[in-house]
């Protein structure tokens, strides 16, 4: 099992550009989520999905879109990149959406917006 | 709404010394509690979790944590640290009965010196 795979690992964008961060898991997990990590702030939830076709907003959803067409994949789209979106992005998955389930994290995508 | 406060942003310690990383949480509802560890340039890995039952929980790599409901705390301890324990540690909560939406503290950077 590869676990949770995120691509790319690093990316530099110009303000206004769009891009998609990819996330795939091979554990047949129903629940997937995206977090951003900023210094001194821990991780904050952007969007989450409790199953294919079902997504919802987290704490900091503005400027991001998600979709979940398959159980395995949960891409995160930046519509028009802004310097405030410079961050490290983590995708995570768990067996179900219940709060007692441990989450499995990818290694992150380091994104810089110039 | 829940919140998590990690009382120390950095903890320096010598190898083989004991360490305690402090975590307090605030919530009007019952929560599940987690400690995750992040090694440099990696994703987060679950150390341990408290769901119910015994208030002392043991995790991987010799770590343990104690849930104290009256103090709303979940402090992480290790009796003797190694150089390899140098990492960032995150305390997190989810709502009991809610979705698996982790609320993280800001993190504590543990630096183990020889």
């Amino acid at each position: 099992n590869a676990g949770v795979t995120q691509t790319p690992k690093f990316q530099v964008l110009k303000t206004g550009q769009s891009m998609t961060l990819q996330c795939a898991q091979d554990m047949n997990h129903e629940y997937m989520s995206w977090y951003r990590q900023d210094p001194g702030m821990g991780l904050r939830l952007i969007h989450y999905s409790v199953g294919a076709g079902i997504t919802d907003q987290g704490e900091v959803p503005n400027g991001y879109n998600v979709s979940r067409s398959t159980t395995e994949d949960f891409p995160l789209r930046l519509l028009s990149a802004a310097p405030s979106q410079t961050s490290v992005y983590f995708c995570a998955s768990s067996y179900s959406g219940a709060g007692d389930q441990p989450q499995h994290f990818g290694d992150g995508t380091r994104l810089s917006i110039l | 709404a829940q919140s998590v406060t990690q009382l120390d942003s950095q903890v320096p310690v010598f190898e083989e010394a004991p360490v305690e990383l402090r975590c307090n949480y605030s919530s009007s509802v019952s929560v599940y509690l987690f400690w995750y560890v992040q090694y440099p340039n990696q994703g987060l890995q679950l150390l341990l979790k408290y769901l119910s039952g015994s208030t002392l929980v043991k995790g991987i790599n010799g770590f343990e944590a104690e849930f104290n409901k009256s103090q709303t705390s979940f402090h992480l301890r290790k009796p003797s640290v190694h150089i390899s324990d140098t990492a960032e540690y995150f305390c997190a909560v989810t709502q009991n009965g809610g979705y698996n939406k982790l609320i993280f503290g800001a993190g504590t950077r543990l630096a183990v010196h020889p």
Side-chain angles (χ1 to χ4, degrees), chain A residues 12 17 20 32 35 40 45 56 63 67 76 81 83 85 108:
Chain A
V12 179
Q17 287 184 314
T20 299
M32 297 185 74
Y35 293 85
L45 182 64
D56 205 347
S67 60
L76 178 72
Q85 294 178 304

Side-chain angles (χ1 to χ4, degrees), chain A residues 21-93:
Chain A
L21 279 62
Q22 301 291 344
C23 175
Q25 52 91 9
D26 62 358
M27 297 173 283
N28 202 31
H29 283 175
E30 286 297 318
Y31 184 87
M32 297 185 74
S33 53
W34 277 101
Y35 293 85
R36 60 177 289 173
Q37 181 180 23
D38 300 295
M41 303 187 72
L43 283 77
R44 292 177 292 166
L45 182 64
I46 305 172
H47 286 285
Y48 65 97
S49 169
V50 299
I54 308 170
T55 65
D56 205 347
Q57 297 180 351
E59 183 184 353
V60 288
N62 292 343
Y64 307 96
N65 265 0
V66 292
S67 60
R68 184 99 180 268
S69 56
T70 67
T71 300
E72 294 78 19
D73 300 298
F74 190 44
L76 178 72
R77 297 182 187 84
L78 279 70
L79 308 173
S80 177
S84 61
Q85 294 178 304
T86 293
S87 187
V88 182
Y89 291 85
F90 288 98
C91 180
S93 73

Side-chain angles (χ1 to χ4, degrees), chain B residues 9-112:
Chain B
S9 59
Q10 296 186 64
V11 173
V13 64
F14 287 109
E15 194 173 18
E16 297 183 7
V19 70
E20 177 180 81
L21 306 184
R22 297 179 294 166
C23 172
N24 286 93
Y25 69 93
S26 172
S27 178
S28 58
V29 298
S30 180
V31 296
Y32 300 120
L33 295 145
F34 303 83
W35 275 99
Y36 283 86
V37 60
Q38 184 181 32
Y39 299 104
N41 298 315
Q42 293 186 25
L44 279 70
Q45 178 182 354
L46 181 69
L47 267 181
L48 49 78
K49 61 183 178 181
Y50 173 78
L51 304 182
S52 65
S54 173
T55 57
L56 183 64
V57 292
K58 295 188 183 298
I60 62 172
N61 301 340
F63 284 93
E64 63 181 31
E66 185 157 20
F67 170 58
N68 187 318
K69 187 174 183 179
S70 62
Q71 307 258 350
T72 61
S73 67
F74 190 52
H75 300 333
L76 181 71
R77 301 184 183 102
K78 186 170 183 178
S80 176
V81 295
H82 302 292
I83 296 287
S84 59
D85 292 323
T86 295
E88 187 145 23
Y89 293 79
F90 292 96
C91 182
V93 303
T94 58
Q95 182 178 327
N96 186 337
Y99 280 131
N100 202 356
K101 299 190 286 184
L102 285 162
I103 304 296
F104 284 90
T108 298
R109 187 168 298 277
L110 176 65
V112 182

